[in-house]
Amino acid sequence: MQTKVDMYTASALFILVIMFALMVTSAWDDTAITDELAHIPAGYSYLTQFDMRLNPEHPPLIKDLAGLSLLAQNFSFPASLRAWQEDINGQWDFGRAFLYGSGNNPDTILRLARVPMMLFAVVFGFLFFLWARIHYGASSALLALTFFAFSPTLLAHGRYVTTDIAAAFGFFIGIVTFLAFLENQNKKTALIAGIAFGIAQLLKFSLFLLIPLYGLIFVVWFFVFKPKIKNSILHTMCRILLIFSVGLALIWLVYIPHVWNYPQERQLRDADFILGSFGFRPAVDGALWLIEHEITRPLGQYVLGLLMVIQRATGGNTTYFLGEVSATGWKHYFPVVYLLKEHLAFHILTLIAIGAFIKSKIKNKELLASYYMLPAAIKKNFTTFSVLLFIVIYSLLSIRSNLNIGVRHLLPILPFLYLLVASGITKLSRARRNPLIVIAVAWMIVSAATTFPFYLSYFHVLAGGTEGGWQYVVDSNYDWGQDLKRLAMWREKNHVDRLYLDYFGGGDPRYYLGNGYEPWNSAKGALPSGNYFAISATLRQGAFGKPASGFEQKSEDSYLWLRELKPISRAGTSIFIYRIP
């Protein structure tokens, strides 16, 4: 038995090594994506300046991790810039100056900062495998890890300095440690759960959802397990309070060095300005009160970021989806994007697993089990129930959200979905050999190899594939600015002296294209005949899309003169290149 477990562990490590290699090599020539322009310089500033005036709308931990890899290089820090000295959260101007305007090598910065993110994704995958093996068996864990490691979505977003993989990891450790606490309620498990909760809050503000999730899981646990000790509910609630207290203390401790050199008056002024339009004033007053007091101002900075995220999520984001452009979002956005972006083979395996589950329940006459049998079923499968509860709650909140900017926001539920499907498929394969399962898994692995290096632009074959997914949705689903360096390569290869460009992303066209580049946009009108024009897919589709109800778009911003022309080429997948006739 020991040899068999070791074989599974060795296989898991081999899969993760392949995942790491795919991420490193595929991202080598990717230009800075939009969010990296803010995250990387912010992380470097936290570690070198002990000042969190940049990018407060995201917790610091993942940016710190990226910044650690930059410390040995002693990059130039443009502290004299207005963006640092005077602007309120001047993250974008400062980011451009740090990467492209201070004598630093942006490609070196990007490659160094991304490596910790890739290692983070690999460690996440291994911890996921270890936990899944304990609760669902080695075969299910290895299959789930295969889905994880060869998922185009995880390969794409595990390479960049963003908070998306971090959010998935935070929910994972938050949920599994809380379940371990409920199973064995003592100070040790409460302390571990508290540390995990605190780490989660330091990774992304959406992890605040763990608080009501813990409450729901606890209520169901108490109902189905019916502990006999009279004061057990009080005992458990005291332990849960310890979890939150440990988490809060960890947040406070980590934020202390991040505001160490952030002048208190400046911090208070920045927060007051940023939250000036926040709807619920008592929350703003609370954040400002925390900042006004030296001992609590680290927590005030945390609350500021949390309120910023709430404010942005309410406001929405202008984006293109299925031929329309809107700033308020669509209720069907995330279900459709999930179906288009996740591998077709995984969808097939999902249907097989669901069908096998329903068939087994019908056979055992359990499909229409009575209400009185439900608590027993939940008790027997409490881990699976808790995972399903999280998937349902997170999915419903995503559907209701106005912030429709990418499938990456579904990353927290993907590992759990992979595990549930893997568990169902493993049970089925034990009962009956099914060659379709082997074919589907092989298809996923081969697809990961053939999609290389364009994982961000991946769509399955029925959705147009990597070349055609832009017709449905863009932004971080397809075009995040990653192909600017490839545009420079195309220009050099084709000996194009002057190139007009409308670019979306975190790269600097002037840095990569030099004096042969001219910025352009729709309002400037059509270019003269014979000129070359390049445009990012996100901006192209945003201009070409039909305005949704309630959304207004000016005709001069619609690229009317470009609509009848066909691109002659593409840089990577995401930048369309035209030659004006």
Side-chain angles (χ1 to χ4, degrees), residues 28-311:
W28 192 255
D29 285 326
D30 278 10
T31 323
I33 52 96
T34 302
D35 285 13
E36 287 180 320
L37 189 63
H39 290 325
I40 294 175
Y44 189 71
S45 75
Y46 301 163
L47 298 180
T48 59
Q49 310 299 311
F50 299 101
D51 187 320
M52 200 179 171
R53 69 184 66 185
L54 299 178
N55 198 235
E57 65 266 35
H58 295 282
L61 209 54
I62 203 68
K63 292 173 285 184
D64 290 344
L65 185 60
L68 281 173
S69 62
L70 304 179
L71 294 181
Q73 297 293 316
N74 193 28
F75 291 107
S76 174
F77 188 87
S80 61
L81 285 179
R82 176 186 173 89
W84 177 261
Q85 293 288 341
E86 300 178 35
D87 291 353
I88 296 176
N89 191 19
Q91 55 186 344
W92 303 111
D93 289 340
F94 184 85
R96 276 185 285 271
F98 176 72
L99 283 169
Y100 306 107
S102 301
N104 299 322
N105 187 319
D107 293 327
T108 300
I109 291 174
L110 290 169
R111 288 164 183 166
L112 288 174
R114 287 169 177 169
V115 169
M117 303 300 101
M118 300 172 196
L119 291 172
F120 182 89
V122 168
V123 170
F124 177 16
F126 190 63
L127 293 176
F128 170 63
F129 165 77
L130 293 177
W131 178 81
R133 184 174 65 180
I134 293 170
H135 293 276
Y136 291 87
S139 297
S140 296
L142 191 62
L143 182 57
L145 181 64
T146 302
F147 295 155
F148 180 102
F150 294 104
S151 162
T153 302
L154 282 159
L155 284 170
H157 295 283
R159 306 173 301 166
Y160 298 136
V161 183
T162 69
T163 56
D164 300 306
I165 286 285
F169 178 74
F171 276 112
F172 171 72
I173 62 171
I175 291 169
V176 303
T177 56
F178 187 71
L179 291 176
F181 159 74
L182 289 179
E183 185 179 352
N184 187 13
Q185 297 176 29
N186 54 49
K187 290 183 179 179
K188 180 181 178 181
T189 57
L191 180 62
I192 292 172
I195 293 171
F197 174 76
I199 291 172
Q201 302 310 307
L202 291 165
L203 291 172
K204 193 163 186 173
F205 287 115
S206 59
L207 273 299
F208 200 76
L209 177 61
L210 283 174
I211 296 176
L213 182 67
Y214 285 176
L216 285 173
I217 291 175
F218 169 69
V219 168
V220 176
W221 173 86
F222 192 82
F223 176 71
V224 299
F225 283 90
K226 295 183 173 62
K228 296 178 181 179
I229 305 173
K230 290 183 179 179
N231 65 342
S232 61
I233 186 169
L234 181 61
H235 176 270
T236 304
M237 290 184 72
C238 287
R239 297 291 193 208
I240 292 175
L241 184 61
L242 175 62
I243 291 173
F244 292 138
S245 299
V246 170
L248 185 64
L250 186 59
I251 293 169
W252 177 69
L253 286 172
V254 170
Y255 265 83
I256 287 175
H258 290 84
V259 298
W260 197 272
N261 289 335
Y262 191 2
Q264 188 173 14
E265 300 79 9
R266 170 75 185 265
Q267 183 188 4
L268 186 63
R269 185 199 74 183
D270 290 353
D272 191 29
F273 180 85
I274 291 170
L275 298 176
S277 60
F278 193 85
F280 187 61
R281 192 64 200 180
V284 177
D285 293 339
L288 297 179
W289 183 89
L290 290 171
I291 294 172
E292 285 174 350
H293 297 80
E294 187 65 33
I295 193 69
T296 58
R297 75 185 185 102
L299 291 177
Q301 188 71 6
Y302 170 81
V303 174
L304 164 66
L306 181 63
L307 296 181
M308 288 177 72
V309 169
I310 294 172
Q311 186 171 246

Side-chain angles (χ1 to χ4, degrees), residues 366-565:
E366 297 177 0
L367 187 62
L368 299 177
S370 70
Y371 166 80
Y372 298 101
M373 294 176 63
L374 187 60
I378 293 175
K379 183 177 181 179
K380 183 180 178 182
N381 304 281
F382 191 72
T383 296
T384 299
F385 167 80
S386 300
V387 165
L388 282 170
L389 181 65
F390 167 65
I391 291 172
V392 170
I393 291 174
Y394 190 89
S395 298
L396 289 175
L397 290 174
S398 298
I399 289 170
R400 289 176 57 86
S401 172
N402 291 332
L403 200 59
N404 294 170
I405 55 177
V407 72
R408 60 193 173 96
H409 285 180
L410 294 181
L411 277 169
I413 66 173
L414 291 186
F416 291 118
L417 286 173
Y418 296 154
L419 180 57
L420 294 179
V421 172
S423 177
I425 291 297
T426 303
K427 291 176 183 176
L428 180 62
S429 63
R430 286 173 184 163
R432 180 178 62 199
R433 296 289 180 184
N434 191 334
L436 183 60
I437 296 172
V438 177
I439 293 171
V441 173
W443 184 10
M444 291 184 68
I445 295 173
V446 171
S447 179
T450 55
T451 302
F452 180 94
F454 304 118
Y455 295 116
L456 190 72
S457 300
Y458 173 84
F459 280 73
H460 64 66
V461 63
L462 296 184
T466 305
E467 290 293 317
W470 54 269
Q471 301 172 75
Y472 303 98
V473 63
V474 281
D475 207 294
S476 61
N477 298 295
Y478 195 87
D479 164 35
W480 221 358
Q482 71 275 12
D483 287 324
L484 181 59
K485 192 174 179 180
R486 295 184 179 96
L487 178 64
M489 295 175 183
W490 179 92
R491 174 178 171 268
E492 183 177 352
K493 179 181 178 181
N494 291 275
H495 308 289
V496 175
D497 294 329
R498 182 164 296 276
L499 184 70
Y500 294 83
L501 172 65
D502 196 359
Y503 170 70
F504 172 81
D508 182 352
R510 186 69 65 190
Y511 179 86
Y512 290 103
L513 297 170
N515 294 328
Y517 148 76
E518 289 292 339
W520 204 257
N521 58 58
S522 176
K524 292 183 178 181
L527 286 164
S529 177
N531 283 292
Y532 288 91
F533 175 64
I535 182 171
S536 296
T538 296
L539 299 176
R540 179 183 185 272
Q541 296 307 100
F544 284 12
K546 177 184 176 183
S549 177
F551 182 82
E552 294 184 6
Q553 186 178 56
K554 298 177 181 178
S555 60
E556 60 264 32
D557 296 330
S558 301
Y559 273 111
L560 298 176
W561 56 272
L562 189 65
R563 297 189 179 217
E564 300 303 319
L565 301 181

Side-chain angles (χ1 to χ4, degrees), residues 342-356:
E342 195 58 35
H343 203 287
L344 189 59
F346 182 72
H347 292 322
I348 293 171
L349 292 176
T350 301
L351 292 176
I352 291 173
I354 293 173

